[in-house]
Amino acid sequence: FDSGKFDKSTMCYDAALRLDPHDVYLLNKQGDNLSRLGKFTEAIECYDKALEYEPANIYILNNKAIALLNSGNINEALKVSNIAYNYRPSSPIVLYWRGFILEILAEFDKALEVYDKLITIDDSNPEVWNARGNVLTDMERPEEALEAYDKALELCLDDSELDATAQNRKGNALMELLRFEEAIECYDKAISLEPHNTSFLLNKGVVLMELGNFAEAENIFKAEEEMENE
């Protein structure tokens, strides 16, 4: 599982479950495997079996909510998240995914409340600050979003994937504020971390157009198109 060989891991968990079909840990891990393979219906069945034995297990409930979300059943995902939340309203992992589901449902005020609650519990998680920035961006509050992205970047340390995403979203917020030169700096930092991310290149190209650097923007768009066609 940890090496990403989910098909082989699934075979192993199947074998283990034949020996002990009531093992909650195995059922949950098999659900995780099947989710990684995109087999969300089967994953949810595993989580449901596990919940028959431990109906108040917030981690399994949360995993089920994520599987429902990934399968497109967003409203059902929120219902399951509500159950987990009612069992433990201060659980960071439940709150994080609850906020994400609410954001997907465009319930931005509620999502922001959840992230603010998370920050009162632990203000050192860069992913939460980044998520807060995303919601504030959705709410068209770029100045506050910028503050959240700055905090996320301050806490990122060596998490290059999050760092690149936060830089990109910070660039977007700066672009909304018409601070184009600063936005370019953010996109350049994001591109240096993920040089083949076409979204980052596209965003930089748009800002270059705003600055009137049409030739440079055209080169960016050509590079983005070539990557898309690879």
Side-chain angles (χ1 to χ4, degrees):
F1 182 87
D2 289 338
S3 65
K5 298 176 181 178
F6 304 123
D7 52 345
K8 293 183 179 179
S9 185
T10 296
M11 292 171 61
C12 294
Y13 283 123
D14 272 342
L17 284 165
R18 281 195 291 272
L19 297 172
D20 188 355
H22 308 300
D23 189 300
V24 171
Y25 172 82
L26 291 174
L27 287 165
N28 183 52
K29 290 297 291 184
Q30 180 66 304
D32 292 347
N33 266 277
L34 291 164
S35 288
R36 299 300 194 285
L37 293 167
K39 298 179 179 180
F40 302 118
T41 300
E42 295 173 54
I44 291 165
E45 289 175 1
C46 285
Y47 296 136
D48 281 340
K49 288 178 184 176
L51 290 167
E52 289 177 11
Y53 305 109
E54 294 186 14
N57 189 313
I58 61 164
Y59 301 104
I60 299 172
L61 284 164
N62 194 63
N63 287 341
K64 181 182 176 181
I66 295 169
L68 285 163
L69 175 67
N70 287 327
S71 67
N73 296 318
I74 306 171
N75 289 308
E76 288 299 314
L78 182 60
K79 288 179 183 178
V80 176
S81 180
N82 287 341
I83 297 170
Y85 178 78
N86 289 334
Y87 278 124
R88 197 179 303 175
S90 61
S91 166
I93 190 169
V94 171
L95 285 168
Y96 179 82
W97 282 101
R98 180 178 175 79
F100 188 78
I101 293 167
L102 287 166
E103 184 182 359
I104 296 296
L105 288 168
E107 297 191 30
F108 302 131
D109 289 329
K110 291 180 180 179
L112 185 60
E113 286 179 13
V114 170
Y115 292 135
D116 285 344
K117 183 175 181 178
L118 259 174
I119 287 167
T120 62
I121 295 170
D122 178 11
D123 66 353
S124 63
N125 189 329
E127 291 188 7
V128 177
W129 284 103
N130 190 58
R132 187 176 191 272
N134 294 345
V135 171
L136 287 164
T137 298
D138 292 331
M139 298 173 76
E140 299 183 356
R141 291 159 62 176
E143 292 184 2
E144 293 172 79
L146 190 58
E147 292 175 5
Y149 292 134
D150 279 337
K151 187 66 177 180
L153 288 164
E154 179 187 324
L155 296 166
C156 267
L157 300 177
D158 296 325
D159 193 342
S160 60
E161 183 179 350
L162 176 59
D163 191 44
T165 301
Q167 289 286 0
N168 179 62
R169 296 303 297 259
K170 181 181 176 181
N172 293 346
L174 287 163
M175 182 166 61
E176 289 290 325
L177 294 168
L178 307 183
R179 292 162 61 177
F180 299 127
E181 296 290 352
E182 294 171 77
I184 289 284
E185 291 179 12
C186 289
Y187 293 137
D188 282 340
K189 289 175 183 177
I191 291 166
S192 70
L193 292 166
E194 294 185 21
H196 299 293
N197 191 311
T198 56
S199 295
F200 299 169
L201 288 168
L202 187 61
N203 287 342
K204 181 180 178 181
V206 170
V207 175
L208 287 167
M209 292 281 287
E210 292 286 350
L211 289 168
N213 298 335
F214 301 113
E216 192 176 351
E218 185 178 358
N219 289 334
I220 290 285
F221 292 138
K222 283 181 180 177
E224 184 267 341
E225 186 177 356
E226 288 172 2
M227 287 184 191
E228 287 283 358
N229 293 329
E230 286 179 359

